[in-house]
Amino acid sequence: MWTEPHPVGQRRVARSLLRRQVAVAPGSAQLAVVTWNILADCFTNSKQFPYASPNALDWSRRRELIVRELLDLQADVYCLQEVQQVAFDYILGRMQDEGDFDGVYFQKPGRRIDGCATIYRSDKLNMHSWTPLSIAQLLSKYFGPDASSKAAGQGRGGSGGGGSGGGSG
């Protein structure tokens, strides 16, 4: 755990430690996937992050750093959590300025204003279908109606979460 403040954009972990290589069957294509909780702007405040400078929490600054980092990672698929609709629109638009990207956004159910996003390289992948599912829906379907109510108190705001799904091929 880090106990002292770090400037925005400074890497805490070497990028080589973040990449995991898996064996690929001969003749198959590789797919690079990134997942990242970008911390929705609605959750950033100095009470929750007293060690962070106001500059580090400033969304207009953070959003550019997020876009730059996503593009630097050169993935085929980006799965983002804690994303607000306005952030998704901005991030996808900026990525489309730099290359062939498309994506989908799913706002978490209930009174939540954040959700999940999937952005993908449209020059490499095609979306055949998309079905938005919340964690509560999945829990209820596979573990019964009581499972989602038991899990509802977990996580930010206790809404049972959300998710995004997409097809590629």
Side-chain angles (χ1 to χ4, degrees):
M1 184 164 102
W2 295 95
T3 56
E4 48 188 78
H6 295 279
V8 174
Q10 179 178 340
R11 298 194 192 288
R12 296 183 203 175
V13 179
R15 181 173 278 158
S16 61
L17 297 177
L18 299 174
R19 292 188 180 266
R20 293 187 179 159
Q21 297 293 324
V22 294
V24 178
S28 64
Q30 291 190 20
L31 186 69
V33 178
V34 167
T35 182
W36 187 5
N37 181 324
I38 66 167
L39 184 62
D41 186 42
C42 62
F43 298 137
T44 60
N45 63 60
S46 58
K47 286 185 180 181
Q48 279 189 292
F49 300 96
Y51 54 85
S53 72
N55 193 33
L57 299 177
D58 178 46
W59 176 245
S60 62
R61 178 172 159 73
R62 285 181 56 234
R63 68 185 186 179
E64 271 308 310
L65 294 171
I66 290 168
V67 169
R68 194 172 328 140
E69 186 69 19
L70 291 172
L71 291 169
D72 285 350
L73 288 168
Q74 299 180 359
D76 300 310
V77 179
Y78 303 89
C79 303
L80 307 177
Q81 301 85 44
E82 290 192 13
V83 181
Q84 290 173 261
Q85 178 73 54
V86 67
F88 170 71
D89 294 341
Y90 180 84
I91 292 168
L92 179 60
R94 287 284 291 113
M95 291 180 76
Q96 287 175 332
D97 290 345
E98 301 295 326
D100 295 323
F101 292 96
D102 205 352
V104 293
Y105 174 79
F106 175 67
Q107 185 170 329
K108 292 178 184 176
R111 301 170 88 177
R112 299 293 300 270
I113 60 170
D114 68 308
C116 298
T118 303
I119 297 174
Y120 60 94
R121 289 190 175 279
S122 56
D123 59 342
K124 188 171 185 178
L125 303 167
N126 296 312
M127 179 164 308
H128 295 286
S129 66
W130 178 64
T131 305
L133 296 171
S134 71
I135 291 172
Q137 289 171 309
L138 292 172
L139 287 172
S140 181
K141 179 177 179 177
Y142 292 104
F143 299 105
D146 293 341
S148 62
S149 61
K150 289 178 184 176
Q154 298 175 6
R156 288 190 207 273
S159 73
S164 64
S168 63

